[in-house]
Amino acid sequence: RLNGEISNYFRPANLFLFIEHVMSLKSELARIFQMPVSLGLKMKRGYKSNYDRPYFDFLEKLASDGRLSLEHHSTNIYSLISGSHLTVVYPFSSPAYVADFLKVPSIYYDPTHCVCRDDFGDTCSLISFANSREALLDAAISVLRKAVGSATDQSMTAAVGPGQKVSLVGGMSE
């Protein structure tokens, strides 16, 4: 940090941490709700030579292992989010506002603990905030229970439907 500013918040180490924590959220939610959870990731842009290649390789490996669906950067963000139950977004990225417009809950997740809690939307906004892995899990559980209008795991399964999945979309800029 220089003069109290974050020198490069979007650096690869922070992005890796974001992905790792969201990936752990996927498995925890599947365990808690006893149902499959799918995770899609859409980035703002495709790979360019001045981007961090190991980060893109990491994402491609997760996709090839079936741990996440790596959406093409030109995929319609409105369609992607509208088919999701929750979005987890890097702080200050616009997919949270798209989700809010579509009435899909979202969580700004700061894995670095650098961003201070603030109200990121209007009073009735569906955007929440978490800055730790534990707070992310708690917020996701709370949001998903509210999204289906119930506080029990069985009700969530019934509301989503037998054999269906809870879907998360992670969005970030690079």
Side-chain angles (χ1 to χ4, degrees):
R1 293 184 189 197
L2 300 173
N3 300 323
E5 295 180 9
I6 301 170
S7 60
N8 184 357
Y9 189 69
F10 290 95
R11 70 177 181 257
N14 294 348
L15 299 176
F16 276 106
L17 202 54
F18 178 90
I19 296 297
E20 286 174 23
H21 291 184
V22 172
M23 292 302 299
S24 71
L25 177 69
K26 176 185 172 185
S27 60
E28 283 295 311
L29 291 174
R31 182 186 60 76
I32 289 166
F33 291 109
Q34 295 296 296
M35 59 190 313
V37 174
S38 64
L39 175 64
L41 177 69
K42 179 191 180 305
M43 292 187 293
K44 189 175 184 177
R45 297 175 193 89
Y47 178 75
K48 295 181 181 174
S49 61
N50 61 326
Y51 292 169
D52 186 69
R53 185 71 238 178
Y55 175 68
F56 279 81
D57 291 343
F58 174 69
L59 296 177
E60 288 170 2
K61 173 79 169 120
L62 290 173
S64 70
D65 290 347
R67 296 181 60 205
L68 68 77
S69 172
L70 194 52
E71 305 295 335
H72 192 269
H73 67 273
S74 67
T75 299
N76 183 304
I77 191 73
Y78 286 84
S79 297
L80 187 61
I81 290 173
S82 68
S84 300
H85 296 90
L86 170 66
T87 61
V88 180
V89 184
Y90 213 64
F92 312 114
S93 297
S94 59
Y97 295 108
V98 172
D100 199 43
F101 174 79
L102 294 171
K103 306 293 185 230
V104 174
S106 61
I107 302 169
Y108 272 138
Y109 178 56
D110 170 33
T112 69
H113 312 281
C114 291
V115 177
C116 295
R117 168 75 176 105
D118 197 356
D119 293 322
F120 293 103
D122 295 330
T123 307
C124 58
S125 173
L126 295 174
I127 303 171
S128 56
F129 176 77
N131 69 353
S132 72
R133 184 181 275 189
E134 296 77 20
L136 176 62
L137 178 60
D138 290 345
I141 292 168
S142 174
V143 161
L144 289 171
R145 286 184 175 151
K146 286 178 190 172
V148 297
S150 172
T152 66
D153 299 351
Q154 269 84 21
S155 297
M156 180 174 173
T157 303
V160 174
Q164 292 184 351
K165 300 177 185 178
V166 173
S167 56
L168 309 173
V169 174
M172 66 175 83
S173 305
E174 40 316 317

